Amino acid sequence: MAGNPLNAKVVGRLSLYRRLVSGLIRRGTMAVYSHELASHAGVTAAQVRRDLMSIGFTATPSRGYDLTELARTLDRFLDSAAAEATVLIGVGNLGRAILAYFQGQGKLPIIAAFDTDPSKVGRMVHGCPCRPLAELSSVLAERRPRVAILTLPASEAQAIADQLIAGGVRGLVNFAPIPLRVPPGVHLESLDITMFLEKTAYFARLAVAREESHEHEGSR
Amino acid sequence: MAGNPLNAKVVGRLSLYRRLVSGLIRRGTMAVYSHELASHAGVTAAQVRRDLMSIGFTATPSRGYDLTELARTLDRFLDSAAAEATVLIGVGNLGRAILAYFQGQGKLPIIAAFDTDPSKVGRMVHGCPCRPLAELSSVLAERRPRVAILTLPASEAQAIADQLIAGGVRGLVNFAPIPLRVPPGVHLESLDITMFLEKTAYFARLAVAREESHEHEGSR
DNA sequence: AACTGTGAATGCCTTCACAGCT
DNA sequence: AGCTGTGAAGGCATTCACAGTT
């Protein structure tokens, strides 16, 4: 059932393929060749073939990959049998946006959100109950969530992460702009939005500079 | 001024180092050794040395990297002389969260947000004017923003991206869950939150399975 | 004695390229 | 004729390890 442990980049692309495949199915497509799926995903055909090879999914040279079968296989790899309980810590603007985005998504239900702010606690936020942070450990003990989303201030992120991991959480998606330290066996995905923006600004500036120097040609 | 073109991963870490450095300066630290900065950043000391080497910043073996000097050098690399005008497309929950996060951050001012929803248009959202999408091209022409943040539905993302690029934008941060196609010379940073969550859930599940099988030892 | 800067080694990921299949 | 599955090659990023410096 587990198969051989897949590499993180492959899993990311599988998640993307799944979404593309379900879109194609909805449009009535029955099968695709690697280069077709590749062009939708923005990767090479060889990459698609390798990725699908790594989960043991095969095509026929004549028809390509059967989409119904592929969708089922991807579901089996990416989803648990039961839905994976998830918690979210930090009901600020970003936390609320993510709650709104994932409410009613089926798999990965966010079972509770936590915050220290008394004005938020007790309410429903986009369909999710907001509870005081003090109740975190009892929720961890009772509901055994395995995934947590951190949308809280950087100053509190490490302490909360430690508490979550101690309580059994094994996957963290961190939006706080600080590098977290997690023990081996715990998966951490860090999404530092400021960093992505600064990176983008750097390359945008470079591109503009390059274009401008090409315009009046004379340099170099 | 441009130097040799840096690799994207290096630029990402430089952005992180900058934040760490400014925190250290605030606490009164004057200099750090590569292994100290590395431990804050969660990378190896060799990595820090290589990254700083790539921007030509050097230390003295006795004191390490001078933080004041380093902060200045990083600023010079990561910031433009003038602030880089940025626009945001799609004032949904996520768009609003990002507007809130970046308002008043100095560099990278979001000069306008765009949406088609008439109930949003005309208002200020977290200090940023929300304008109708129809005005996008005139704003592109007048203000020449170079960076854009896409927080809109997947179905519209590619068309808007094309319009932005035609209007001079050279860096995109895309939150829409779809792979965008951009021409060479345009930098694209894609942040597919669903993908990150699914990846994390996969590895969390794997970790739990591994722990459970270790508990009653006999399997293999 | 301990650090930096860096050539060389390693390791990982992606792509090539082709035999095999239909 | 055109596709897949995959060994081998290639390219890129990280780490090693050490000469040089203070």
Side-chain angles (χ1 to χ4, degrees), chain B residues 112-137:
Chain B
F114 294 86
D115 207 296
T116 46
D117 184 341
S119 74
K120 288 167 189 165
V121 163
R123 301 181 170 205
M124 294 292 277
V125 181
H126 295 293
C128 179
C130 181
R131 310 182 58 169
L133 201 56
E135 290 177 15
L136 177 58
S137 47

Side-chain angles (χ1 to χ4, degrees), chain A:
Chain A
M1 191 161 281
N4 43 345
L6 295 177
N7 154 304
K9 296 200 168 180
V10 175
V11 175
R13 283 191 300 264
L14 292 177
S15 159
L16 171 60
Y17 299 155
R18 170 159 74 165
R19 234 174 315 146
L20 297 171
V21 164
S22 78
L24 288 167
I25 288 174
R26 229 173 295 125
R27 273 184 260 148
T29 316
M30 299 305 293
V32 287
Y33 296 118
S34 61
H35 65 265
E36 296 174 309
L37 187 50
S39 105
H40 284 103
V43 302
T44 66
Q47 180 101 82
V48 167
R49 294 202 298 274
R50 268 236 181 260
D51 289 340
L52 297 187
M53 185 180 79
S54 75
I55 60 169
F57 191 81
T58 64
T60 59
S62 49
R63 259 145 297 152
Y65 296 91
D66 181 274
L67 286 179
T68 314
E69 213 33 68
L70 179 52
R72 191 174 13 246
T73 304
L74 289 172
D75 285 346
R76 202 165 42 239
F77 263 85
L78 295 173
D79 297 332
S80 20
E84 203 74 69
T86 301
V87 292
L88 179 144
I89 322 288
V91 188
N93 289 298
L94 185 58
R96 273 195 297 271
I98 288 174
L99 287 173
Y101 195 76
F102 285 101
Q103 254 354 282
Q105 294 270 110
K107 301 288 181 177
L108 291 178
I110 301 178
I111 59 168
F114 293 86
D115 206 297
T116 46
D117 184 341
S119 74
K120 289 168 188 164
V121 163
R123 303 181 168 203
M124 295 292 277
V125 181
H126 295 294
C128 179
C130 181
R131 309 182 58 168
L133 202 55
E135 289 176 16
L136 177 58
S137 47
S138 69
V139 172
L140 292 176
E142 282 162 32
R143 308 287 304 270
R144 313 289 313 152
R146 299 310 195 172
V147 175
I149 301 167
L150 271 58
T151 47
L152 38 59
S155 54
E156 294 159 39
Q158 184 65 60
I160 299 289
D162 293 344
Q163 192 185 345
L164 289 162
I165 293 165
V169 166
R170 290 296 173 266
L172 296 172
V173 182
N174 176 42
F175 287 88
I178 191 174
L180 292 185
R181 208 166 284 285
V182 301
V186 175
H187 184 84
L188 171 66
E189 208 66 53
S190 268
L191 282 163
D192 185 333
I193 296 178
T194 301
M195 191 199 77
F196 286 111
L197 247 173
E198 291 191 343
K199 219 198 303 196
T200 302
Y202 173 85
F203 286 103
R205 186 154 59 97
L206 216 66
V208 171
R210 206 162 33 228
E211 285 173 23
E212 280 169 3
S213 83
H214 276 257
E215 255 162 44
H216 35 70
E217 205 56 1
S219 49
R220 198 247 190 280

Side-chain angles (χ1 to χ4, degrees), chain B residues 31-56:
Chain B
V32 287
Y33 295 118
S34 61
H35 65 264
E36 296 173 309
L37 187 50
S39 106
H40 284 102
V43 301
T44 65
Q47 179 100 84
V48 167
R49 293 202 299 274
R50 267 234 184 264
D51 289 342
L52 297 187
M53 186 180 78
S54 75
I55 58 168

Side-chain angles (χ1 to χ4, degrees), chain B residues 7-179:
Chain B
N7 154 306
K9 296 200 167 180
V10 175
V11 175
R13 285 191 300 266
L14 292 177
S15 159
L16 171 60
Y17 298 155
R18 170 160 73 165
R19 234 173 314 145
L20 297 171
V21 164
S22 79
L24 288 167
I25 288 175
R26 229 173 295 123
R27 274 184 257 147
T29 315
M30 299 304 294
V32 287
Y33 295 118
S34 61
H35 65 264
E36 296 173 309
L37 187 50
S39 106
H40 284 102
V43 301
T44 65
Q47 179 100 84
V48 167
R49 293 202 299 274
R50 267 234 184 264
D51 289 342
L52 297 187
M53 186 180 78
S54 75
I55 58 168
F57 191 80
T58 64
T60 60
S62 49
R63 260 145 297 152
Y65 296 91
D66 181 275
L67 286 178
T68 313
E69 213 33 67
L70 178 53
R72 191 175 11 246
T73 303
L74 289 171
D75 285 347
R76 201 164 44 235
F77 264 85
L78 295 173
D79 296 332
S80 20
E84 202 73 69
T86 301
V87 293
L88 180 143
I89 322 288
V91 187
N93 289 297
L94 186 57
R96 273 194 297 270
I98 288 173
L99 286 173
Y101 195 76
F102 284 101
Q103 255 352 284
Q105 293 269 110
K107 300 291 182 177
L108 289 178
I110 302 179
I111 59 167
F114 294 86
D115 207 296
T116 46
D117 184 341
S119 74
K120 288 167 189 165
V121 163
R123 301 181 170 205
M124 294 292 277
V125 181
H126 295 293
C128 179
C130 181
R131 310 182 58 169
L133 201 56
E135 290 177 15
L136 177 58
S137 47
S138 69
V139 170
L140 292 176
E142 282 162 33
R143 308 288 304 269
R144 312 290 312 154
R146 299 310 193 171
V147 175
I149 302 168
L150 270 59
T151 47
L152 37 59
S155 54
E156 295 159 41
Q158 184 65 61
I160 298 289
D162 294 344
Q163 193 186 344
L164 288 163
I165 293 165
V169 166
R170 289 297 173 264
L172 296 171
V173 181
N174 175 42
F175 287 87
I178 193 175

